């Protein structure tokens, strides 16, 4: 039984190096403190059309963009409801891809998993073989781009090229923990639906889910007689086309923060941001090889989350606690009970730089006596 614990407001500020949420610029936080306005006012149309069109520009996509109050999880559910009649193929390689499969099962779909050992990456040739040899028609292939539990970056571009050979199969990508920090050409690689959460590499407060939708995915939903209500592509996109707003009341303050942060993101650019994240990932990997090892299969390491194998047997939980107390920096243990002490994770995403990541690795070296 959970009991009430008073929120005192009296907490030391911690620098976040977890796989989300990530630190948010002060002026982006401040952007949220405007007096409230109505979600059907002209001002809302100004705000919502700005953030939607800026996001399209940032991502360089001609696909539609939906920005909805909720978190990325919303689009596991909505994309399944909108696109899957019967069969969905979900390659699983960690906790989040497994959860995608669970969500689809919960919604009554027939889910076929293509199971990989945790730490391994999904291989395009396996997807091709499954699609070629199966006697089932898959409505959707659903792939996680960045498996946050294992720090694996899956080759969604090549997988998209394979799925493109099956025109009645839609390709759905969970880019929750990579979008904004790892370049992906959505239109070039047949990605029908790609979604992310605001609190990861976008470095915004949590509370918004971002989703791109291809014309084909939109049309497919139009032809079907069942779809998510809240996350229905047609409902969201048609409302935007007619009114430039969302179909229901959104988290306006977070959208104000989004507007501010997206200006910074446009300045840096999709590729520029990706390059900065690549440098952080490279630095962290080199550091990991010097003291430990990397957990993911070589060549598939994430650009936003380093999952480091604890080859030295350090006390992961104890180190995290001490680094937090002594340096006010927080990083993550491994995912779940299996990887908890066997690995630890550093989120190098959002506004971080090689310099700020180095501050953390110096702190870990000090505390763990490396
Ligand atoms: C890869 C991945 N997918 C989905 C989710 C769920 O996102 P949210 O908590 O924003 O709903 C997460 C959260 O960490 C994630 O890392």
């Amino acid at each position: 039984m959970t009991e009430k614990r008073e929120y005192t407001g009296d907490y030391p500020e911690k620098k976040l190096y977890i796989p989300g949420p990530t630190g948010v610029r002060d002026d982006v936080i401040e952007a949220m403190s405007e007096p409230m306005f109505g979600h059907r006012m002209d001002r809302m149309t100004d705000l919502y059309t700005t953030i939607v069109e800026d996001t399209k520009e940032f991502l360089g996509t001609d696909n539609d963009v939906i920005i909805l109050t909720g978190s990325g999880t919303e689009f596991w559910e909505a994309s399944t409801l909108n696109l899957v009649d019967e069969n969905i193929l979900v390659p699983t390689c960690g906790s989040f891809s497994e959860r995608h499969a669970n969500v689809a099962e919960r919604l009554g779909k027939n889910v076929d998993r293509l199971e990989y050992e945790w730490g391994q990456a999904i291989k395009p040739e396996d997807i091709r073989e499954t699609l070629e040899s199966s006697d089932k028609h898959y409505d959707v292939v659903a792939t996680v781009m960045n498996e946050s539990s294992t720090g694996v970056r899956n080759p969604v571009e090549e997988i998209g090229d394979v799925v493109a050979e099956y025109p009645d199969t839609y390709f759905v990508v969970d880019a929750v923990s990579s979008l904004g920090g790892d370049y992906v050409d959505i239109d070039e690689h047949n990605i029908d639906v790609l979604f992310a959460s605001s609190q990861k590499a976008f470095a915004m407060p949590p509370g918004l889910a971002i989703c791109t939708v291809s014309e084909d995915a939109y049309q497919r939903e139009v032809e079907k007689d069942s779809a998510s209500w809240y996350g229905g592509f047609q409902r969201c996109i048609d409302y935007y086309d007619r009114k430039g707003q969302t179909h229901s009341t959104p988290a306006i303050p977070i959208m104000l923060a989004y507007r501010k942060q997206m200006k910074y993101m446009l300045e840096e650019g999709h590729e520029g941001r990706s390059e900065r994240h690549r440098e952080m990932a490279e630095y962290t990997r080199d550091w990991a090889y010097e003291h430990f090892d990397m957990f993911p299969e070589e060549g598939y390491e994430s650009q936003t989350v380093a999952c480091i194998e604890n080859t030295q047997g350090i006390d992961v939980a104890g180190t995290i606690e001490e680094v937090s107390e002594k340096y006010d920096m927080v990083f993550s243990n491994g995912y779940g009970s299996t990887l908890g002490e066997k690995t630890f994770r550093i989120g190098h995403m959002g506004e971080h730089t090689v310099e700020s990541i180095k501050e953390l690795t110096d702190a870990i070296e000090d505390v763990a006596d490396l």
Side-chain angles (χ1 to χ4, degrees):
M1 194 40 193
T2 300
E3 285 174 9
K4 179 179 176 186
R5 289 174 35 167
E6 205 66 50
Y7 187 84
T8 63
D10 182 22
Y11 304 96
E13 204 178 303
K14 303 281 176 186
K15 206 166 191 176
L16 300 178
Y17 295 85
I18 54 179
T22 53
V24 180
R25 291 169 190 262
D26 289 346
D27 58 346
V28 172
I29 292 280
E30 280 155 20
M32 291 193 286
S33 63
E34 281 189 30
M36 199 42 55
F37 51 90
H39 68 296
R40 296 293 174 238
M41 289 165 68
D42 277 352
R43 186 173 168 180
M44 187 65 222
T45 311
D46 295 350
L47 175 60
Y48 193 58
T49 56
T50 297
I51 63 173
V52 167
E53 297 306 319
D54 282 356
T55 305
K56 282 186 202 169
E57 186 184 336
F58 174 79
L59 294 175
T61 182
D62 291 332
N63 288 352
D64 284 304
V65 165
I66 300 170
I67 300 171
L68 206 56
T69 301
S71 69
T73 294
E74 165 60 22
F75 284 104
W76 274 334
E77 202 160 82
S79 62
T80 305
L81 288 169
N82 297 346
L83 297 175
V84 183
D85 272 333
E86 203 177 344
N87 301 313
I88 173 170
L89 178 66
V90 187
T92 56
C93 59
S95 172
F96 291 98
S97 40
E98 180 54 37
R99 203 179 293 177
H100 198 152
N102 289 341
V103 167
E105 261 165 2
R106 174 86 184 178
L107 296 172
K109 308 303 176 187
N110 171 50
V111 179
D112 285 348
R113 290 173 174 74
L114 194 57
E115 290 180 32
Y116 291 85
E117 213 177 293
W118 284 35
Q120 298 295 300
I122 300 162
K123 308 296 181 316
E125 54 273 23
D126 296 341
I127 306 285
R128 180 190 301 282
E129 201 187 308
T130 310
L131 291 177
E132 264 174 19
S133 62
S134 175
D135 51 8
K136 288 178 194 158
H137 165 72
Y138 289 106
D139 295 311
V140 161
V141 173
T143 305
V144 68
M145 178 168 163
N146 193 67
E147 180 44 84
S148 325
S149 61
T150 60
V152 165
R153 199 306 194 169
N154 288 305
V156 290
E157 291 86 349
E158 286 95 322
I159 298 170
D161 295 344
V162 168
V163 181
E165 294 168 27
Y166 297 81
D168 293 333
T169 299
Y170 296 85
F171 186 39
V172 172
V173 173
D174 166 355
V176 166
S177 60
S178 52
L179 196 69
D182 188 349
Y183 182 82
V184 57
D185 191 332
I186 296 165
D187 301 12
E188 179 65 26
H189 297 286
N190 178 50
I191 302 178
D192 289 295
V193 173
L194 176 140
F195 55 89
S197 306
S198 52
Q199 77 275 14
K200 308 268 186 183
F202 274 44
M204 297 173 186
L208 295 174
I210 303 106
C211 184
T212 68
V213 181
S214 72
E215 177 62 22
D216 285 352
Y218 172 87
Q219 284 304 336
R220 146 106 198 190
E221 186 193 308
V222 170
E223 286 156 20
K224 274 177 47 142
D225 58 3
S226 74
S228 161
W229 198 103
Y230 187 72
F233 298 150
Q234 190 191 357
R235 184 173 308 280
C236 296
I237 292 165
D238 287 1
Y239 208 94
Y240 180 75
D241 285 344
R242 278 203 325 274
K243 304 234 165 123
Q245 295 176 349
T246 51
H247 57 56
S248 51
T249 321
I252 295 170
I254 308 173
M255 291 189 170
L256 287 165
Y258 194 114
R259 174 187 159 274
K260 184 89 184 168
Q261 172 67 357
M262 192 41 79
K263 301 292 176 209
Y264 289 115
M265 289 174 66
L266 282 170
E267 242 170 63
E268 194 176 12
H270 194 181
E271 292 182 58
R273 234 174 138 76
S274 188
E275 179 56 22
R276 177 166 55 80
H277 282 73
R278 195 194 59 71
E279 284 166 10
M280 291 192 281
E282 201 173 281
Y283 167 78
T284 315
R285 260 201 316 277
D286 287 347
W287 179 82
Y289 283 130
E290 197 183 324
H291 301 284
F292 302 94
D293 205 350
M294 289 297 288
F295 182 69
E297 178 179 357
E298 202 176 337
Y300 295 94
E301 298 90 349
S302 159
Q303 213 165 265
T304 51
V305 183
C307 184
I308 297 168
E309 194 174 343
N310 180 14
T311 48
Q312 295 218 33
I314 64 165
D315 171 3
V316 169
T319 307
I320 291 172
E321 203 176 312
E322 210 179 320
V323 167
S324 171
E325 266 170 31
K326 198 166 164 188
Y327 291 99
D328 286 327
M329 296 174 186
V330 183
F331 67 105
S332 278
N333 54 355
Y335 198 89
S337 51
T338 349
L339 294 184
E341 282 285 321
K342 207 177 146 207
T343 64
F344 60 92
R345 291 172 301 156
I346 297 176
H348 37 73
M349 59 169 92
E351 295 311 310
H352 278 298
T353 58
V354 168
E355 289 69 38
S356 69
I357 300 299
K358 190 169 181 314
E359 286 170 18
L360 174 71
T361 53
D362 285 350
I364 298 174
E365 282 180 33
D366 172 40
V367 168
D369 208 10
L370 298 177

